[in-house]
């Protein structure tokens, strides 16, 4: 069985500062990993995904994530956040033959 | 038009009433899912369907039922709504055979049971 743990339920950060949202997963088989973003009062949008290949994955809006198999982590980073990055971020795990399991989410608060 | 359309967008219903949430997609995907989102709990899988003849329970299926009327349509029913089913419900589709693998989500249905 697969599971996802998002280590922080809320992360406050000042505008233009860097941010890291942490995600750890567990799985007995090869995994696909995702980050989704949910802006206030909207649905979920794919931010980036790791399927195979390079462990550093770049997504939309300047976000990137690094797959670390030994640490079973897939942390999301952005070097400089903007007020428009205020949202809830969900880490998710799947394998090709199964459904996607989501973490509980991390709310990113951008402070002026 | 949206790739995944959910209706209604908002609904208020009374305890004990039967309600159906509908989802239709133009992606041509075989796989469809229903999730509910609650604050602090993330998204939890209610039911999923890998094709028209395949229906599977997710982690929180009690109190819910589904119908896959066609490849493009997947409906979620609450047979007798209760207040703790108040939540934001999302439908999603996926195609694991292509280069892109991940979900396409609908905009959600906000359901309030009073």
């Amino acid at each position: 069985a697969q599971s996802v743990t998002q280590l922080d339920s809320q992360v406050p950060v000042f505008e233009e500062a860097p941010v890291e949202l942490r995600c750890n997963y567990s799985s007995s088989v090869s995994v696909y990993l995702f980050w989704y973003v949910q802006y206030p009062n909207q649905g979920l949008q794919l931010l980036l995904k790791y399927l195979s290949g390079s462990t550093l994955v770049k997504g939309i809006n300047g976000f990137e994530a690094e797959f670390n198999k030994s640490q079973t982590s897939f942390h999301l980073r952005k070097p400089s956040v903007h007020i428009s990055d205020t949202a809830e971020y969900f880490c998710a795990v799947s394998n090709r033959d199964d459904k996607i399991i989501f973490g509980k989410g991390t709310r990113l608060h951008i402070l002026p | 038009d949206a790739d995944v359309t959910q209706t209604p967008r908002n609904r208020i219903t009374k305890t004990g009433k039967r309600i159906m949430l509908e989802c239709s997609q133009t992606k041509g995907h075989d796989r469809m899912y229903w999730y509910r989102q609650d604050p602090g709990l993330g998204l939890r899988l209610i039911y999923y369907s890998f094709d028209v003849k395949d229906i599977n329970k997710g982690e929180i299926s009690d109190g819910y039922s589904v119908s896959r009327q066609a490849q493009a349509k997947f409906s979620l029913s609450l047979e007798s709504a209760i207040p703790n089913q108040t939540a934001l419900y999302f439908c999603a589709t996926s195609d694991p055979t292509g280069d892109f693998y991940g979900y396409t989500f609908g905009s959600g249905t906000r359901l309030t049971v009073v």
Side-chain angles (χ1 to χ4, degrees):
Chain A
Q2 300 155 81
S3 67
V4 177
T5 301
Q6 291 185 243
L7 299 164
D8 305 294
S9 60
Q10 298 191 62
V11 173
V13 61
F14 287 102
E15 195 169 12
E16 298 184 5
V19 67
E20 179 180 81
L21 305 184
R22 297 180 294 167
C23 173
N24 286 96
Y25 69 91
S26 66
S27 177
S28 58
V29 298
S30 296
V31 296
Y32 301 122
L33 294 158
F34 308 85
W35 277 98
Y36 283 84
V37 59
Q38 184 180 32
Y39 297 105
N41 300 312
Q42 295 188 26
L44 278 80
Q45 178 182 356
L46 181 67
L47 202 54
L48 50 79
K49 65 184 184 290
Y50 170 80
L51 304 183
S52 64
S54 173
T55 57
L56 183 62
V57 180
K58 293 189 183 297
I60 61 172
N61 300 337
F63 283 94
E64 63 181 31
E66 186 161 16
F67 170 56
N68 188 318
K69 187 174 182 179
S70 63
Q71 296 187 8
T72 61
S73 67
F74 190 54
H75 300 332
L76 181 70
R77 302 185 182 99
K78 186 170 182 177
S80 177
V81 296
H82 188 267
I83 194 72
S84 60
D85 294 321
T86 297
E88 188 160 19
Y89 294 79
F90 294 94
C91 182
V93 64
S94 177
N95 61 52
R96 183 169 281 268
D97 296 325
D98 206 349
K99 59 247 182 239
I100 294 180
I101 305 300
F102 289 86
K104 293 184 177 182
T106 298
R107 288 189 179 274
L108 180 61
H109 298 281
I110 309 300
L111 307 173
Chain B
D1 288 341
D3 292 325
V4 181
T5 302
Q6 291 185 236
T7 55
R9 289 296 306 274
N10 292 280
R11 180 74 180 268
I12 300 174
T13 192
K14 293 183 177 180
T15 297
K17 292 291 187 181
R18 184 179 188 276
I19 182 170
M20 178 182 289
L21 310 183
E22 299 188 348
C23 177
S24 62
Q25 52 119 343
T26 59
K27 301 284 289 183
H29 291 168
D30 285 327
R31 298 186 176 188
M32 299 187 73
Y33 309 80
W34 275 104
Y35 285 83
R36 67 176 278 176
Q37 183 182 14
D38 299 277
L41 297 180
L43 280 79
R44 293 180 292 166
L45 184 62
I46 305 172
Y47 272 94
Y48 61 104
S49 169
F50 282 0
D51 65 41
V52 175
K53 296 181 180 179
D54 176 74
I55 303 289
N56 303 281
K57 292 183 177 181
E59 60 182 299
I60 54 163
S61 59
D62 287 349
Y64 301 95
S65 63
V66 290
S67 172
R68 185 80 184 265
Q69 300 96 323
Q71 185 201 42
K73 295 184 182 296
F74 191 37
S75 300
L76 176 72
S77 293
L78 287 67
E79 298 301 326
S80 179
I82 56 177
N84 76 2
Q85 291 177 313
T86 293
L88 185 56
Y89 290 84
F90 285 105
C91 175
T93 73
S94 73
D95 174 15
T97 62
D99 291 336
F100 172 85
Y101 180 64
Y103 285 2
T104 300
F105 280 91
S107 297
T109 294
R110 186 169 296 279
L111 177 66
T112 303
V113 183
V114 298

